[in-house]
Amino acid sequence: MIDLGSTTWLEIRHGEAWLGGAPVLHDINLDLRLGESTTVLGPNGAGKSCLVKLIDRSLHPIVQDQAYLHLFGRSSVNLWQLRQRLGIVSTPMEERIPGAITALELVLAGFFGSTRLGHDQNPTDRQRIRARHVLEQLNLQSISDQPYGQLSDGQRRRLLMARALVHEPDVLVLDEPSRALDLRGCHQLMHTLSALCRHGTTLVQVTHRIDTIIPEMKRVLFLQKGRIVGDGTPAEMLTSTKLSALYDTPVAVVEAHGFRQVFPA
């Protein structure tokens, strides 16, 4: 059984991972706690998506002395149990969604860990009520009968979040959630993330974009060349000096209403 009382939901010690015959993560030491929404920030190629793969168990760390990865207090977890506590939204998942599936069916498929409802997958009345509630929560009820392939990028991203939220997970991990979104879609996404934080969902946002970090984030990690090179509060980490070093380019940070934007320095 998963330890339901653990406040540290992810614990990694001396984590190293390889992908395609090359090392992608090096000596990762990390604790992530419930109630502490965190942004993992870094340039393209830093290893951010590989960290997500470690979390969703599609990438496994190298076995070595004193190295381990614990999810919700356990080194070995049942994937179905894990799905009840951890929601993941990533680009590979988005690319597997059939274009003809309706928004409501996709959210219902989340109960079965699939991307469409199979012949033997029959949602209960309670599950249908829950799915519609989540669509309303994310302001997607008006598109519930529309095919996935006809939705905007912003609607698709929020719909995948709805699918991940049907189980009411403790933690929602988002890999580059603002990818390909226009200004309106990006603002809608940030509004949704803020609302989720306020209602008790612990978020992990993996991104290279400083301007999408919501004020509710409590912690920022810097990832660079597969290593964690910084860890602190947004006020400590999102400075001109530290961001210039992370991205290896001079930038100036401007802050307004709890959000930050960067400009060439």
Side-chain angles (χ1 to χ4, degrees), residues 100-110 114-118 123 135 144:
I101 190 173
T102 67
L104 177 59
E105 183 182 348
L106 179 58
V107 176
L108 288 169
S114 59
T115 56
R116 67 170 70 197
L117 291 177
L135 286 171
S144 62

Side-chain angles (χ1 to χ4, degrees), residues 193-210:
L193 297 183
S194 293
L196 289 173
C197 278
R198 291 195 299 270
H199 286 90
T201 301
T202 301
L203 298 182
V204 176
Q205 176 191 15
V206 177
T207 186
H208 66 276
R209 291 186 55 176
I210 294 92

Side-chain angles (χ1 to χ4, degrees), residues 254-265:
V254 175
E255 183 177 354
H257 308 297
F259 293 91
R260 294 167 177 85
Q261 181 62 275
V262 294
F263 298 94

Side-chain angles (χ1 to χ4, degrees), residues 50-69:
C50 293
L51 181 59
V52 174
K53 291 179 184 294
L54 275 187
I55 295 172
D56 72 10
R57 310 308 293 264
S58 61
L59 178 66
H60 295 279
I62 299 296
V63 177
Q64 52 188 345
D65 290 342
Q66 299 181 326
Y68 62 84
L69 186 155

Side-chain angles (χ1 to χ4, degrees), residues 37-41 213 217-222 230-235 237-238 243:
S37 289
T38 300
T39 292
V40 180
L41 188 67
I213 300 176
M217 286 290 166
K218 297 182 178 180
R219 185 178 176 189
V220 175
L221 299 172
F222 283 1
D231 183 359
T233 67
M237 303 305 297
L238 302 179
L243 289 172

